[in-house]
Structures are given as structure tokens and as C-alpha cells.
């Protein structure tokens, strides 16, 4: 996302994608990218971290490989790197997204694709929680700020935080780019526009986002892609 101005790349916003955060951190360290990433976070321009990107943005992480890993930080929360288990425990779930629905319309739930996904264990006072994922309580190993819910005749469930926002930072534990529902993208685009209209971003910068063949903000053109099926 961005344009060029004065020989430098002028970014209006940044997405740090999913992947594998230890490897990404090693590469970022090798290429000396951390200072520029931290600098960018501090500019107040929108940054969206998905999955490993969420881990990158967190101020604190647990469940790291021995020796830990460097983080970009900025988001006042603690993440667990592999909260939901290993790769084969990846799953899909409908999560309730009240704020997203109020801003973007559409269904009250969002199909979250969780691939060896992290979760947010606790958040600081400036962090807004945008989505929880319900999981059976007996599967939750870390529960510093999870909320127990008990419905009649059902197993107790715990609500685990999976999407947060703190000022310019948006973070999702799941992969919105793997579904045809573009509301998170559209929401992020609005954060970018608001920032630009606020005047602190260069007028030469530009934002182009496309999801497969579907431009963000247009009608959904494709059905959801079933990558991982929940059981
Ligand atoms: N849990 C992975 C990590 O540690 C992230 C997985 C993902 O980005 N899909 O980086």
C-alpha cells in the first residue's frame, strides 16, 4: 500500500500478514527492519496485523521459542503465540463482531479462519476488544482475562479475545483474507482514509487493496473458501 514521493516510499498504511512469527522476526532482524517498523507504528498511520502480524504488534508474547523473539510492539496486550494448538488444530468458527457489524453492516458474525492461531490473553486500558471466539473451557490452558459463559445444558465456554484495536493499530488472530467477506478490509481502509483526512499523511500516498478478484468495498463476488473446516 503506498506511492512514491521524493525517492522514498510513502506508505499510507501497512498490513503485517500471517505466517510464522519466529521466522518473520529472524528475517526482519537480518534485514534490520525492526527500527523502520517501530517508527511506522509511531507515526499513527494504520497498521493491521493478522495472526503472526498480531504477534508482531503485541507488546508482550508468551509461548515463544527458546530465547524469545523480537517484536515490533505498540499494542498494549499479551498474546499467546499458538493459543489454539498446532497446525492440525487449525479451525474455522463464526465469531461475533458487533463493532464491525455496526460500522460495516452485514451479518452479526464473521467466519474466522484460525491457522495455528494466536490469541490475546490480556489487554491494556486503551485497547478495544473487537471480537471473541468461544471455546470449550476444558480446552483453555491460559485464562488470565478470558470470560466464562455457561448456557443451560451446554458445556461451559470461555470467550477468548481474537480481534483488538488500539488507536491506529488493528490486530486479528484469524485470517480475513481467506474469506470473501471483506468487512475487515473495508474497516481498515476507513481507518486509512480517516487518517489521511486528518491531514497527517502525505497526499501523494495511495492505498490499493484487492482480495482475490474482489475489490474491497464492492459486493462479495465469491463464496467463502473452505480452507480449514471446524469439526
Ligand atoms: N502461531 C503462528 C506464529 O507463531 C502464527 C500463525 C499464522 O500466522 N497463521 O507465528
Amino acid at each position: 500500500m503506498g506511492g512514491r514521493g521524493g525517492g522514498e516510499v510513502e506508505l499510507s498504511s501497512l498490513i503485517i500478514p500471517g505466517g510464522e512469527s519466529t521466522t518473520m522476526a529472524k528475517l526482519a532482524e537480518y534485514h534490520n527492519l525492526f527500527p523502520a517498523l517501530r517508527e511506522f507504528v509511531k507515526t499513527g498511520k494504520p497498521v493491521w496485523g493478522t495472526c503472526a502480524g498480531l504477534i508482531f504488534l503485541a507488546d508482550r508474547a508468551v509461548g515463544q521459542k527458546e530465547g524469545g523473539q523480537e517484536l515490533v510492539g505498540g499494542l498494549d496486550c499479551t498474546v499467546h503465540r499458538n493459543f489454539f494448538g498446532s497446525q492440525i488444530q487449525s479451525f474455522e468458527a463464526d465469531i461475533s463482531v458487533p463493532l464491525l457489524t455496526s460500522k460495516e453492516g452485514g451479518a452479526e458474525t464473521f467466519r474466522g479462519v484460525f491457522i495455528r492461531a494466536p490469541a490475546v490473553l490480556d489487554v491494556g486500558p486503551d485497547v478495544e476488544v473487537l471480537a471473541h471466539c468461544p471455546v470449550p473451557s476444558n480446552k483453555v490452558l491460559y485464562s488470565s482475562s478470558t470470560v466464562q459463559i455457561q448456557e443451560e445444558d451446554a458445556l461451559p465456554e470461555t470467550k477468548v479475545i481474537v480481534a483488538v484495536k488500539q488507536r491506529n493499530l488493528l490486530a486479528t488472530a484469524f485470517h480475513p483474507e481467506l474469506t470473501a467477506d471483506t468487512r475487515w478490509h473495508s474497516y481498515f481502509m476507513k481507518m486509512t482514509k480517516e487518517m489521511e483526512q486528518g491531514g497527517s499523511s502525505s497526499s501523494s500516498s495511495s492505498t490499493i487493496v484487492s482480495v482475490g478478484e474482489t475489490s474491497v468495498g464492492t459486493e462479495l463476488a465469491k463464496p467463502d473458501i473452505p480452507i480449514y473446516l471446524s469439526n
Side-chain angles (χ1 to χ4, degrees):
M1 299 167 98
R4 273 173 192 280
E8 284 184 16
V9 178
E10 290 266 334
L11 294 179
S12 56
S13 50
L14 181 70
I15 295 178
I16 306 180
E20 208 289 319
S21 61
T22 314
T23 311
M24 284 161 65
K26 280 188 180 152
L27 282 169
E29 218 176 309
Y30 182 80
H31 293 287
N32 194 27
L33 289 176
F34 277 110
L37 288 169
R38 288 192 189 113
E39 202 51 46
F40 193 85
V41 163
K42 282 193 201 132
T43 60
K45 292 178 185 176
V47 181
W48 179 12
T50 59
C51 209
L54 153 67
I55 300 168
F56 253 45
L57 287 180
D59 279 343
R60 302 168 293 279
V62 298
Q64 293 178 299
K65 292 237 163 69
E66 215 171 297
Q69 70 194 49
E70 215 171 319
L71 302 169
V72 174
L75 189 58
D76 183 9
C77 70
T78 306
V79 293
H80 187 289
R81 260 191 71 220
N82 297 314
F83 182 89
F84 293 100
S86 66
Q87 197 76 16
I88 54 165
Q89 282 148 338
S90 299
F91 63 100
E92 291 185 12
D94 288 325
I95 53 176
S96 91
V97 286
L99 185 117
L100 190 70
T101 307
S102 75
K103 301 258 179 196
E104 301 297 325
E108 276 170 17
T109 57
F110 184 89
R111 189 76 179 160
V113 179
F114 293 85
I115 305 175
R116 193 155 72 94
V120 176
L121 302 182
D122 60 53
V123 294
D126 297 336
V127 178
E128 230 181 316
V129 173
L130 303 185
H132 287 99
C133 179
V135 289
S137 295
N138 61 356
K139 295 215 171 142
V140 174
L141 303 175
Y142 304 86
S143 61
S144 51
S145 76
T146 51
V147 183
Q148 295 275 345
I149 39 176
Q150 169 92 64
E151 285 190 13
E152 257 178 72
D153 301 326
L155 273 176
E157 279 189 331
T158 295
K159 285 164 77 183
V160 176
I161 301 169
V162 291
V164 290
K165 180 173 184 286
Q166 182 182 357
R167 289 187 294 273
N168 60 319
L169 305 180
L170 175 67
T172 48
F174 47 91
H175 285 262
E177 79 281 10
L178 293 180
T179 61
D181 186 339
T182 53
R183 285 178 293 165
W184 286 103
H185 293 79
S186 162
Y187 180 62
F188 185 65
M189 295 283 283
K190 282 178 189 148
M191 284 171 63
T192 303
K193 276 209 185 93
E194 272 161 30
M195 177 72 198
E196 284 177 344
Q197 279 159 9
S200 36
S201 184
S202 159
S203 57
S204 67
S205 63
S206 62
T207 305
I208 302 160
V209 175
S210 67
V211 182
E213 294 146 25
T214 313
S215 292
V216 167
T218 63
E219 285 295 301
L220 302 185
K222 294 184 293 188
D224 276 358
I225 311 159
I227 308 287
Y228 289 93
L229 297 173
S230 50
N231 44 24

